[in-house]
Amino acid sequence: MTEGFWSPVQLSIQVAGLAGILVFIFGIILARIMARKKFRGKVLLETIFLLPLVLPPSVVGFLLIVIFGKNALPGKFIENIFNQPIMFTWWAAVIASAVVAFPLMYQSAKTGFEGIDEGIEHAAMVDGAGPFRLFLFISLPLAVKSIVTGTILSSARALGEFGATLMFAGNIPGQTQTIPTAIYIAMDSGNMTLAWLWVAIIIAISFIMLFAVTYIK
């Protein structure tokens, strides 16, 4: 296989891996907070968290362009720090993948935390466990199956992200071209053999990840 064939595969794994780490961290933190806290506007905030799950990828890509474009404050801030815009870089692919994958991680982790008996947590606090120790040694282990499930599902979603990535990161071979965008280009150019090879790879990876989710249940 040529380098041009494996480049989208390697980039897809890197993007999905980093996006998975980001949604793992933010998903767990926000899920833990939202599972126990009650405050005004909670339902509205949770709806916003889950919105990327149902929005068309083109809408997500459009919003990311608006937020991180040259005329937006976050876009200007990033460009001033790195001396280049974030659009059409592999980091843009990571952000797009993380945004669309986040709801899966958040919802799964939140379900896990909500399933914990509050009496166990209260007993640990009575025995002197602080918030950090309570989270690390009590809450996290008890919700581990839901967290692992959310991590795998969100990483699989990040691996297959296409629409938002294409709009926000583009399709630059060797730089931002992931497996889904490579498949699209291969089909558009009539190279069905190459398209089928990439399809086979992403199906195999996705199958293994989903099999792992089913197995741990």
Side-chain angles (χ1 to χ4, degrees):
M1 294 293 180
T2 63
E3 181 181 349
F5 174 82
W6 288 110
S7 178
V9 178
Q10 181 181 357
L11 183 61
S12 290
I13 294 174
Q14 290 176 346
V15 168
L18 189 50
I21 292 173
L22 291 176
V23 300
F24 176 82
I25 295 172
F26 289 102
I28 288 180
I29 293 174
L30 292 174
R32 174 59 181 173
I33 294 172
M34 299 297 280
R36 290 289 183 256
K37 298 292 184 179
K38 294 182 179 180
F39 54 90
R40 188 186 298 272
K42 178 180 177 179
V43 174
L44 176 62
L45 188 57
E46 281 197 298
T47 302
I48 294 173
F49 288 164
L50 298 176
L51 205 54
L53 193 62
V54 296
L55 283 176
S58 57
V59 174
V60 176
F62 172 81
L63 293 175
L64 288 174
I65 291 173
V66 171
I67 294 172
F68 292 99
K70 291 184 177 182
N71 296 325
L73 186 61
K76 291 179 180 178
F77 178 74
I78 292 173
E79 189 170 357
N80 288 335
I81 292 179
F82 298 102
N83 294 320
Q84 69 173 28
I86 196 169
M87 287 181 60
F88 304 117
T89 66
W90 84 284
W91 280 103
V94 171
I95 293 174
S97 298
V99 169
V100 299
F102 173 79
L104 293 172
M105 181 65 205
Y106 170 79
Q107 191 62 34
S108 183
K110 181 170 173 284
T111 300
F113 288 131
E114 287 178 336
I116 299 173
D117 186 350
E118 292 190 45
I120 297 176
E121 294 181 331
H122 289 157
M125 293 174 67
V126 170
D127 289 340
F132 180 74
R133 289 176 62 85
L134 174 67
F135 172 74
L136 190 61
F137 296 108
I138 304 296
S139 303
L140 205 57
L142 290 175
V144 68
K145 280 192 175 182
S146 296
I147 291 173
V148 171
T149 297
T151 302
I152 296 174
L153 289 177
S154 59
S155 296
R157 178 66 185 89
L159 181 69
E161 165 51 31
F162 171 69
T165 300
L166 183 62
M167 289 186 66
F168 189 45
N171 182 45
I172 307 172
Q175 297 184 39
T176 66
Q177 187 181 68
T178 57
I179 296 177
T181 55
I183 292 171
Y184 174 77
I185 295 300
M187 284 190 62
D188 190 54
S189 62
N191 194 339
M192 295 302 295
T193 301
L194 192 57
W196 268 114
L197 288 172
W198 278 319
V199 166
I201 288 177
I202 199 167
I203 287 177
I205 297 173
S206 300
F207 179 87
I208 293 170
M209 297 174 81
L210 291 178
F211 182 84
V213 170
T214 305
Y215 181 79
I216 64 174
K217 289 182 178 181

